[in-house]
Amino acid sequence: VLESFAKLAAAEGRPRTALRLAGAAARQHEVLGLAEVAHLRADLDRHLATARAALGAAGAAEAWAEGQALARAQALSEALGEDVAACGP
């Protein structure tokens, strides 16, 4: 789900949000022990290429790291543009 919001943010010209959400999604995959699907990852990377170029290497890495530090509720809140922190852990 977060990957889809990351692609949408990239398409809308919001590179920092796109990379934060993608970083959060990658972290959730790690935490939950979910394997990435290669063709889905490649599709996400294609969408994020413009975001990475817009921010530069350092800015992109910073946004990704910020996303990886987000709790699940924080990431969903950012994706939805609303406060979902009260929805649970």
Side-chain angles (χ1 to χ4, degrees):
V1 172
L2 289 173
E3 292 92 338
S4 295
F5 281 107
K7 292 190 288 188
L8 178 62
E12 292 178 341
R14 297 181 293 130
R16 179 164 288 284
T17 299
L19 287 161
R20 283 172 56 92
L21 294 175
R27 179 66 182 141
Q28 289 303 310
H29 279 258
E30 292 172 13
V31 168
L32 298 173
L34 302 174
E36 286 189 324
V37 179
H39 74 278
L40 295 177
R41 177 56 194 241
D43 181 55
L44 177 61
D45 285 341
R46 277 192 297 279
H47 282 84
L48 295 179
T50 303
R52 288 188 179 103
L55 296 180
E62 180 181 302
W64 184 274
E66 288 170 1
Q68 289 204 312
L70 292 174
R72 186 177 15 183
Q74 290 173 306
L76 289 171
S77 179
E78 186 164 328
L80 297 172
E82 57 188 49
D83 185 8
V84 295
C87 294

